[in-house]
Amino acid sequence: MMLEDVLTIFYLWFRSIVLFFVPKSWRLKDVSKDNILITGAGGGLGRLLAVRFAPKVANVIICDINEDGLNGTKKLVTEAGGKCHAYICDVSDRSSVEEVASKIFDEVGNVTMLVNNAGIVNGKSFEELKPEQIERIFRVNVLSHFWTCKAFLPAMIESDYGHVVCISSVTGLSAVPKLSDYCATKFAVLGFFQSLYVEHKPKSSVNFTVVCPYHINTGMFAGMGSTIIPTLEPDYVADEITKAILTNQEMLILPKFFYFTTFLQSIMPVNVAPYILRACKGDIAMDSFVGHTTNGIKKD
């Protein structure tokens, strides 16, 4: 078994190198019979992903607590040629997820692609954070992943078919001042993905993808100061995530520059981190943070 595992390691390593040079457009999987569920789809990145998958899948299922946003997304999905099912759902509430999941199973069928996108941000220093804000961001950004996966992953495992996508952040790879709660939740999402992956691979054909993007220009981080890294445009991020899902890419970091910084971080002493942040202007980026709200909820 050990020899087999060693050979598999080298095979997968070599395969990843080869695939790096193969255009993703040559490797896209067929998802025409899939039902994709996207949380936090009332706007922003969730909406863009819903529209992109509209002509590709059998059904687009969208969840959010913002009814007006859901209706807007549903209209866009329909106009893009997709069949859309919208559900008002507070993904931070286990009972709400279970109730909506039951409706989805009855009205649409099994979810074969799950995109956990919903998220909020407070943008305050640790001292300024109120206990209820800390608890809420963990419910929305972390526990929601547990509740949706509890609801939909068992059917994927049983059928040996499916795909779970966790939206994390580059702040889940490297911390930033005034985002202690947000960074902690995104680190947790990355850990959750890795645990799911090693728990179910290679014994299952279910795929898992984690996405770690930099600041996206959706309004969630409105007012955030500029750094040496330019803000990512939502359409670009949605396109890259779509390709990553369709090629079963396990981890996507945007921009790709952060693959390099993640490697550097693993070999550098911890005490250099504040100075790197200062050189990149990341230490003051959140000083002017404002954020945007929809019904009181800051969203990705």
Side-chain angles (χ1 to χ4, degrees):
M1 181 63 71
M2 182 178 293
L3 177 60
E4 180 183 344
D5 289 339
V6 171
L7 291 175
T8 300
I9 291 170
F10 278 103
Y11 164 72
L12 292 174
W13 196 356
F14 178 74
R15 179 176 176 270
S16 67
I17 295 173
V18 172
L19 289 179
F20 178 80
F21 297 98
V22 179
K24 287 184 177 180
S25 59
W26 295 4
R27 300 185 275 122
L28 303 182
K29 64 182 180 181
D30 178 20
V31 292
S32 59
K33 296 181 180 179
D34 282 73
N35 297 325
I36 186 170
L37 168 61
I38 303 172
T39 67
L45 182 60
R47 171 176 288 181
L48 292 174
L49 290 173
V51 172
R52 276 159 177 74
F53 277 97
K56 303 180 187 297
V57 298
N59 292 282
V60 175
I61 307 164
I62 55 176
C63 291
D64 206 301
I65 62 171
N66 178 6
E67 185 174 7
D68 290 338
L70 278 178
N71 291 334
T73 301
K74 184 174 183 178
K75 180 181 178 182
L76 291 173
V77 169
T78 303
E79 291 174 350
K83 187 175 181 181
C84 187
H85 306 263
Y87 297 89
I88 298 175
C89 179
D90 180 359
V91 292
S92 70
D93 181 3
R94 177 168 56 88
S95 61
S96 178
V97 173
E98 291 173 348
E99 180 181 346
V100 170
S102 179
K103 292 180 180 178
I104 292 173
F105 284 129
D106 291 340
E107 299 171 6
V108 185
N110 286 345
V111 169
T112 55
M113 300 174 70
L114 170 63
V115 181
N116 283 308
N117 166 72
I120 61 174
V121 62
N122 291 311
K124 297 181 179 181
S125 67
F126 176 75
E127 290 78 11
E128 294 174 315
L129 286 170
K130 298 178 181 178
E132 55 269 26
Q133 290 177 315
I134 297 172
E135 291 175 350
R136 185 162 186 277
I137 197 171
F138 271 86
R139 288 198 302 270
V140 176
N141 290 12
V142 182
L143 291 182
S144 63
H145 289 248
F146 283 83
W147 307 149
T148 56
C149 285
K150 278 287 188 182
F152 301 108
L153 182 57
M156 297 184 193
I157 299 299
E158 183 178 354
S159 63
D160 200 30
Y161 180 83
H163 200 143
V164 175
V165 181
C166 301
I167 305 297
S168 181
S169 166
V170 294
T171 62
L173 299 167
S174 182
V176 177
K178 294 192 175 181
L179 284 175
S180 60
D181 55 339
Y182 185 79
C183 290
T185 63
K186 294 304 183 179
F187 269 87
V189 168
L190 182 58
F192 178 64
F193 155 79
Q194 291 178 342
S195 295
L196 283 182
Y197 189 85
V198 298
E199 188 170 323
H200 295 288
K201 291 288 187 178
K203 62 184 179 181
S204 171
S205 295
V206 175
N207 294 294
F208 298 90
T209 296
V210 66
V211 182
C212 298
Y214 179 64
H215 167 220
I216 308 172
N217 188 25
T218 59
M220 183 178 181
F221 281 88
M224 177 179 171
S226 61
T227 67
I228 64 170
I229 310 298
T231 299
L232 299 176
E233 289 304 315
D235 285 320
Y236 164 73
V237 176
D239 287 340
E240 291 300 304
I241 293 176
T242 300
K243 287 186 287 186
I245 294 172
L246 294 178
T247 56
N248 296 329
Q249 183 174 342
E250 288 87 356
M251 188 172 193
L252 173 67
I253 303 176
L254 297 172
K256 294 180 179 180
F257 168 76
F258 282 102
Y259 284 103
F260 176 67
T261 60
T262 301
F263 167 73
L264 283 183
Q265 182 176 289
S266 68
I267 62 174
M268 290 190 300
V270 175
N271 57 8
V272 305
Y275 301 97
I276 294 176
L277 271 174
R278 190 165 68 184
C280 299
K281 299 183 179 180
D283 60 326
I284 59 174
M286 291 298 293
D287 288 353
S288 55
F289 170 79
V290 177
H292 78 76
T293 62
T294 302
N295 291 346
I297 308 299
K298 295 188 181 72
K299 306 186 69 101
D300 283 324

